[in-house]
Amino acid sequence: MNIKTNVVIFLMVSLVTETKEMYPLRDKKTDPFYKPPTSVQKTSAEIINEARHSLRTLTTKRPFTPREDQRKLFGPLSSRTSDNRPPSSFSLHSYSFDSPDSRPVSGTRLSPLPHKPKLPVSSATDDDIVPTIPQPPSNTVQARRLNVTHPRLLKATSHGNLWNDSPFYPGEGKDNTRDAICTTMTTCEGEISSLSLCSHVPQPEHNVCLSPDEQGRASEKPSPPNSKRRSRDGGGNGIKPSCSNKTKKTLQTDKTEAEPTANETETEWETNYWNEKIFPILQGLEAAETNLEDLCSLCAKLHRTLDDGNILGRRCKRRSQILKTLYKLVDIGSDRLGLSLANVILALKVSGKNLLNICKLVFKISRSENNDRLFQNYNMMGVLLDVLQNEDAQTNSEAFLYCLGTIKFLSGNKLLLNELLRKQAVEILVGLMSQIIQFYPTPEIASSDMSHLLVQLTATLRNLADLTQSRPKFLESNAIMELCVLLENYIDDKDVCTNVSRILSKLSLYHDCCMALADYSICYSVFLSILNKHPKKQDLVVRIVFTLGNIMAKADTAREQFYNLKGSMKTLLHLLRIYCDLDINAQRSQSVEKEETKEQKMPSEVEDVLIKLVRLLANLSVHPTVGRAMAANQYCVSHLMQILECKLTDKCEELVISTVATISNLSYYQSDSSVIADRRLEISKLLLKLMLSNNMERILEATRVFGNLSHYQDVRDFIFEESVYKFLVPLLDARHQDVCFSACGVLINLATDSNKRTLLKEEGAFKKLVECLQDFGCWDWQLAGLVCKALWNLMENITDTGLYLGVEDINALLDLLSSLLDEQIVLDCKWDVDLMVYQRECWEVEFKPVALRLLDKISSHYSYLEPLPGPV
């Protein structure tokens, strides 16, 4: 014996005891390789799964959402018709605003009136800022009667408009000396209602007619100049006025400086601050020759001045005069000036119609992408979020609609989107959504404005979900649960459901969000209800199925929970049938115009739904109970084979590969009830067409299915009769480990037929297996062990190995096995700590025992070898 043989015998003797304990030899009959050497018989597919998981979950791309060309409240795909949704285009002028803005000084929110009477249109001209004010009754008796019978008519409305109780005569406005009368009336219920009665004659701009909220604030003590209170104005003193009517008259004097009216007290500091700081700015804004640049600067200066004096919000006693001056500038029509005005007006906490109109103004400006930089410069994101956070959504639903529409448009800009995230937009929007769900749990209870508002809100959250750094905020704010509740309650609103499905499909791409969704098990029944309710709404179905596919790819308990839902598989198979039929009809209609192209085409909408559905089935089938049931389901297997047969000549590669991968998972379960096993020859014929393609992914998936089906004798005969093995052997030359692994699995099965081994050797199987072991041995011990099993089966019952292999081939294999059995080679590999432990286990369990037995066979020239168990 030469030195090489002595080394081999030494290694064999030193380890033979351990080898026999792990793989006891059977000495009387030759069992097929796929029968395990243990008392528990495993299928060939189970054996290969021990080496490398043959049941695999599939991934796919997220459904594509096209970018809308125009910024509108509702896109072209919205289910809302033009007659039942608010407009995205409108005209806005200075006379659209009510002045002064009247809101009770107390912080108490009023309940909405059960009946909102329509107010008469004012006869004031465009130049008039204050609407026409009704005249008082001609005598006190009439006033007393009116006060008793119609107390509500005397209350100030949220817009500052009142009914005319006496006719208005335009001719009276010619008298410039006419006094303005301010009357305050008190109802018997103790609620203060005020009428500001001013003549129609134009008065000097510095003379102020106070609004009701300003009159109620007259007795309040002004804030110290240096005080920086940021909270809302507090409530009243709790004292109810007596049931008497009081009238006060104040003569407005023509002075160069503005003065407060007599029924309002003002500290000396406030008067000086107004005259020295604020009034000159208002004069500059009213100057006709002021240019646009100066107007914008003056607006910014006004905002700073009010802030420095701590009189932003409703704390300024002459707030109405400021607002009147600002409202006039709206007619200029400049977007830049419009945002400057909006910044100040919103800081003054307008309400009612004025809040709605200023939100409309901002919305109108935001419709042009060119204005996005203006919003960033004016820090409008924080201002708009402040409106959503501090105002009442129920009474300002339409204003909220346009405010959210603006934020939705701006969230399409990456820079502004990040700014929204920094300003707690996720938390604010989720909180608002939670409040709406609480007060309006169903669309039947909610007003149309509220449902429209939810569309804008969810669309904004959809854009925020694009940011990776938004995930913790969605989790911390419990957004996933709230979205599922919204989805369940508003199942009939297709627009809301579509937006929520888009949010969840984005979040489910991340492991932490996906697991949070999986833990909220109610979502499965919600998703199932959506699929049953809107089976033909493709953009909704594809995202729900995509989200479910992501969940089923990660959690085995989720697979079982979803499968156990009543009608879950029936729903999925029903959808599969619907979209299979749609795809077939689409192919027929395009068959005449279709031209063959070598390039891979993008999936159509129907094909995209099929891809997500098939992937969901593949991921569900990983669970043993679900997988066996699916493999035994005639409709499931038939639909998969139908897709495969129709798409073999198509260029939609992802659908073909996903379908074959699903069949591969189902072929793992080889029970008597398996439809895959019953139709294995039909499937093998389809797989043969895949092996003839030029796409390596198709070939790889087909090889994996052959690895499971070659357990059966008739499938092995088919492989030899149709020369499929000639395609399998060259796969060992592939530089891809998974391809070599799958090819080795099939060759192990094929080599059990003793009368066919010669064909495999003539095709060069032995030499290619040795090269594969040399290329991947020390990097993939599972693959190395599989190659050794294939070599063992090829050399079974060979009395003289040199007759078939040659001395050089034998020596090369001996050298390779000796080096790979050296434990030092495992220690020398540069692996991570965790991967090192895993590789060590693979070397000891998957490779070492099989390699020692193969080494024993070659060195000792055994005349008999039993076939080794191996994967399929």
Side-chain angles (χ1 to χ4, degrees):
M1 293 186 183
N2 55 25
I3 298 177
K4 189 179 298 184
T5 304
N6 289 333
V7 172
V8 171
I9 293 175
F10 172 78
L11 289 172
M12 179 191 68
V13 172
S14 62
L15 297 173
V16 67
T17 305
E18 179 185 358
T19 304
K20 286 183 178 181
E21 290 176 355
M22 296 181 67
Y23 282 92
L25 295 176
R26 289 162 292 180
D27 51 3
K28 287 201 175 177
K29 70 173 186 175
T30 304
D31 293 329
F33 85 99
Y34 47 80
K35 183 176 181 180
T38 61
S39 58
V40 180
Q41 295 189 8
K42 298 182 181 180
T43 64
S44 55
E46 289 174 324
I47 297 171
I48 192 174
N49 191 45
E50 292 174 352
R52 180 166 301 181
H53 298 294
S54 41
L55 289 177
R56 296 169 298 113
T57 57
L58 303 182
T59 59
T60 186
K61 297 178 182 178
R62 185 169 59 83
F64 173 71
T65 302
R67 179 184 174 89
E68 294 180 1
D69 297 333
Q70 296 181 342
R71 290 184 171 184
K72 295 183 179 180
L73 279 174
F74 304 94
L77 300 179
S78 173
S79 61
R80 287 164 165 76
T81 58
S82 55
D83 8 338
N84 66 351
R85 65 187 187 190
S88 296
S89 301
F90 41 78
S91 58
L92 200 64
H93 304 282
S94 59
Y95 56 79
S96 303
F97 294 86
D98 284 342
S99 178
D101 182 73
S102 59
R103 178 169 181 146
V105 65
S106 68
T108 306
R109 298 189 186 279
L110 299 181
S111 302
L113 296 176
H115 170 66
K116 292 184 179 180
K118 295 184 178 180
L119 304 180
V121 180
S122 173
S123 60
T125 62
D126 294 348
D127 295 332
D128 294 324
I129 302 303
V130 182
T132 302
I133 305 301
Q135 297 295 324
S138 58
N139 54 69
T140 57
V141 177
Q142 182 181 358
R144 190 178 300 108
R145 184 183 302 112
L146 181 62
N147 185 33
V148 173
T149 57
H150 299 287
R152 284 183 57 194
L153 301 184
L154 301 178
K155 295 182 181 181
T157 66
S158 61
H159 297 164
N161 291 333
L162 299 170
W163 279 289
N164 288 323
D165 293 322
S166 60
F168 178 77
Y169 300 99
E172 295 177 2
K174 296 179 182 180
D175 186 4
N176 294 333
T177 63
R178 182 168 181 170
D179 296 337
I181 303 176
C182 298
T183 305
T184 302
M185 296 183 177
T186 307
T187 64
C188 294
E189 291 82 6
E191 296 177 339
I192 298 177
S193 299
S194 48
L195 291 174
S196 180
L197 306 178
C198 303
S199 75
H200 190 62
V201 181
Q203 299 294 329
E205 288 295 307
H206 56 268
N207 291 331
V208 181
C209 184
L210 296 179
S211 62
D213 55 330
E214 292 170 328
Q215 293 177 10
R217 199 182 296 110
S219 60
E220 292 181 3
K221 184 178 181 179
S223 305
N226 298 328
S227 173
K228 290 290 183 180
R229 293 179 294 124
R230 300 300 180 189
S231 60
R232 287 171 158 265
D233 295 336
N237 53 15
I239 302 175
K240 294 185 178 180
S242 60
C243 297
S244 63
N245 298 331
K246 297 182 179 180
T247 302
K248 293 185 179 181
K249 296 183 179 180
T250 302
L251 296 177
Q252 296 179 344
T253 56
D254 187 10
K255 295 182 179 181
T256 56
E257 293 183 354
E259 295 180 357
T261 53
N263 66 335
E264 181 178 8
T265 59
E266 195 173 56
T267 64
E268 181 180 357
W269 179 89
E270 289 174 328
T271 303
N272 293 334
Y273 195 80
W274 173 271
N275 293 331
E276 295 174 6
K277 302 289 186 180
I278 301 175
F279 187 67
I281 300 176
L282 298 183
Q283 285 183 318
L285 290 172
E286 292 175 349
E289 66 277 3
T290 307
N291 58 35
L292 181 62
E293 186 71 27
D294 292 338
L295 287 175
C296 294
S297 299
L298 286 172
C299 286
K301 183 179 180 181
L302 176 61
H303 189 282
R304 290 194 303 270
T305 304
L306 292 172
D307 190 29
D308 292 341
N310 192 29
I311 49 178
L312 280 176
R314 296 179 173 274
R315 291 187 289 272
C316 181
K317 293 184 174 65
R318 311 194 196 204
R319 172 172 164 272
S320 61
Q321 183 173 350
I322 300 174
L323 291 173
K324 285 190 294 183
T325 304
L326 297 176
Y327 291 155
K328 289 181 181 180
L329 300 176
V330 172
D331 288 333
I332 295 178
S334 165
D335 291 344
R336 181 183 174 189
L337 178 59
L339 282 186
S340 301
L341 295 172
N343 200 12
V344 181
I345 293 172
L346 289 175
L348 289 172
K349 303 298 181 185
V350 294
S351 60
K353 184 179 179 181
N354 291 338
L355 177 61
L356 169 61
N357 284 327
I358 203 63
C359 288
K360 280 186 173 182
L361 175 63
V362 176
F363 172 84
K364 190 175 182 180
I365 297 172
S366 69
R367 291 196 61 191
S368 173
E369 293 185 21
N370 298 328
N371 292 329
D372 287 357
R373 183 170 292 276
L374 292 177
F375 280 89
Q376 187 176 8
N377 294 339
Y378 284 97
N379 192 27
M380 288 299 296
M381 311 307 289
V383 176
L384 295 174
L385 289 174
D386 185 62
V387 171
L388 298 180
Q389 197 170 14
N390 295 321
E391 298 297 333
D392 182 29
Q394 293 176 281
T395 57
N396 299 291
S397 58
E398 192 176 0
F400 271 47
L401 173 67
Y402 287 102
C403 182
L404 277 169
T406 302
I407 296 175
K408 179 189 72 173
F409 293 156
L410 299 177
S411 63
N413 184 304
K414 289 295 183 183
L415 293 176
L416 294 175
L417 185 62
N418 282 280
E419 185 178 346
L420 276 172
L421 190 65
R422 290 193 298 270
K423 294 185 180 298
Q424 310 298 316
V426 173
E427 294 87 341
I428 293 173
L429 294 179
V430 172
L432 177 59
M433 180 177 65
S434 178
Q435 292 178 14
I436 295 175
I437 295 174
Q438 181 180 358
F439 287 104
Y440 304 103
T442 60
E444 291 77 15
I445 300 177
S447 63
S448 58
D449 283 344
M450 279 297 174
S451 62
H452 297 332
L453 191 153
L454 283 172
V455 175
Q456 309 306 314
L457 189 152
T458 50
T460 308
L461 285 175
R462 177 195 66 199
N463 292 339
L464 285 165
D466 280 332
L467 297 176
T468 306
Q469 56 269 34
S470 70
R471 286 172 11 230
K473 296 182 179 293
F474 275 96
L475 292 172
E476 292 166 5
S477 60
N478 206 19
I480 291 177
M481 187 191 72
E482 296 290 348
L483 289 169
C484 290
V485 173
L486 179 64
L487 197 62
E488 182 179 17
N489 293 358
Y490 285 75
I491 190 173
D492 292 323
D493 194 324
K494 295 181 181 179
D495 292 341
V496 172
C497 290
T498 302
N499 283 341
V500 173
S501 68
R502 287 174 175 172
I503 298 170
L504 295 178
S505 68
K506 293 179 180 182
L507 294 178
S508 65
L509 290 171
Y510 304 104
H511 178 77
D512 47 0
C513 294
C514 189
M515 296 309 298
L517 194 57
D519 293 338
Y520 189 65
S521 56
I522 299 177
C523 72
Y524 307 135
S525 59
V526 175
F527 291 158
L528 204 59
S529 300
I530 293 289
L531 296 177
N532 287 322
K533 183 74 175 180
H534 309 290
K536 294 187 179 181
K537 185 167 175 51
Q538 298 176 5
D539 55 343
L540 177 56
V541 170
V542 72
R543 287 169 176 83
I544 294 294
V545 174
F546 175 77
T547 304
L548 279 171
N550 290 341
I551 298 173
M552 302 309 155
K554 296 183 181 297
D556 202 50
T557 54
R559 301 177 187 121
E560 186 176 10
Q561 288 177 356
F562 181 80
Y563 175 75
N564 289 332
L565 283 177
K566 184 178 179 180
S568 58
M569 292 305 301
K570 182 179 179 181
T571 299
L572 295 184
L573 295 180
H574 176 64
L575 289 173
L576 196 61
R577 181 183 61 80
I578 290 176
Y579 286 95
C580 279
D581 293 343
L582 288 174
D583 185 60
I584 291 174
N585 294 334
Q587 284 185 332
R588 288 174 181 171
S589 62
Q590 298 174 2
S591 58
V592 179
E593 304 175 359
K594 188 176 180 180
E595 297 180 359
E596 286 295 330
T597 58
K598 295 183 179 180
E599 297 181 0
Q600 180 179 343
K601 70 168 188 177
M602 291 293 294
S604 65
E605 291 182 356
V606 175
E607 288 173 334
D608 200 26
V609 176
L610 286 174
I611 290 171
K612 272 58 177 182
L613 269 171
V614 170
R615 170 183 176 252
L616 173 57
L617 294 174
N619 293 347
L620 278 170
S621 66
V622 174
H623 191 280
T625 304
V626 181
R628 289 189 182 92
M630 291 174 60
N633 191 303
Q634 180 70 41
Y635 298 103
C636 179
V637 177
S638 297
H639 288 320
L640 292 174
M641 292 181 63
Q642 180 185 6
I643 295 173
L644 190 57
E645 189 171 2
C646 294
K647 293 297 180 180
L648 279 175
T649 57
D650 202 353
K651 299 301 179 183
C652 187
E653 296 295 344
E654 187 177 1
L655 180 55
V656 174
I657 293 169
S658 297
T659 305
V660 181
T662 307
I663 293 176
S664 176
N665 278 4
L666 297 180
S667 65
Y668 172 83
Y669 305 100
Q670 299 176 2
S671 61
D672 296 337
S673 60
S674 174
V675 179
I676 295 286
D678 294 341
R679 305 182 66 174
R680 57 183 178 269
L681 288 179
E682 296 178 53
I683 296 174
S684 297
K685 292 177 183 179
L686 294 175
L687 297 177
L688 175 59
K689 296 179 181 179
L690 292 175
M691 297 294 292
L692 298 174
S693 68
N694 295 326
N695 189 302
M696 183 55 69
E697 288 187 78
R698 286 190 175 196
I699 295 172
L700 173 59
E701 293 299 337
T703 304
R704 284 171 171 159
V705 181
F706 272 130
N708 288 335
L709 295 183
S710 57
H711 164 80
Y712 300 97
Q713 182 64 54
D714 53 355
V715 174
R716 296 199 296 272
D717 293 339
F718 173 83
I719 292 175
F720 283 110
E721 290 172 4
E722 299 297 332
S723 300
V724 180
Y725 71 94
K726 292 185 178 180
F727 299 98
L728 293 170
V729 174
L731 292 179
L732 297 173
D733 283 334
R735 296 303 176 186
H736 196 285
Q737 292 167 252
D738 286 342
V739 176
C740 296
F741 190 92
S742 300
C744 284
V746 183
L747 289 176
I748 291 175
N749 286 351
L750 297 179
T752 58
D753 295 340
S754 57
N755 56 338
K756 302 295 190 336
R757 292 181 189 134
T758 305
L759 295 176
L760 297 176
K761 292 174 183 176
E762 290 176 353
E763 200 62 33
F766 178 84
K767 186 175 182 179
K768 293 184 183 300
L769 285 170
V770 175
E771 292 175 353
C772 184
L773 184 63
Q774 186 173 5
D775 292 338
F776 300 113
C778 60
W779 300 103
D780 191 341
W781 297 113
Q782 291 179 340
L783 175 57
L786 208 62
V787 170
C788 289
K789 291 181 181 181
L791 288 170
W792 178 281
N793 286 356
L794 280 174
M795 299 168 59
E796 186 186 7
N797 293 331
I798 299 176
T799 56
D800 188 357
T801 56
L803 181 64
Y804 293 91
L805 303 177
V807 177
E808 293 182 1
D809 293 335
I810 293 176
N811 288 337
L813 180 58
L814 288 173
D815 287 339
L816 183 58
L817 290 174
S818 300
S819 62
L820 293 178
L821 282 169
D822 186 1
E823 191 170 349
Q824 187 62 36
I825 194 174
V826 183
L827 300 175
D828 291 341
C829 292
K830 304 300 181 182
W831 305 103
D832 294 335
V833 176
D834 294 337
L835 192 58
M836 180 66 189
V837 175
Y838 172 75
Q839 289 291 336
R840 174 78 184 191
E841 291 177 354
C842 290
W843 181 82
E844 291 181 350
V845 177
E846 303 289 345
F847 172 73
K848 181 179 176 182
V850 185
L852 284 173
R853 296 184 68 187
L854 182 60
L855 192 61
D856 184 15
K857 156 62 188 163
I858 297 174
S859 59
S860 303
H861 296 280
Y862 284 166
S863 58
Y864 170 77
L865 280 177
E866 58 177 332
L868 286 175
V872 290

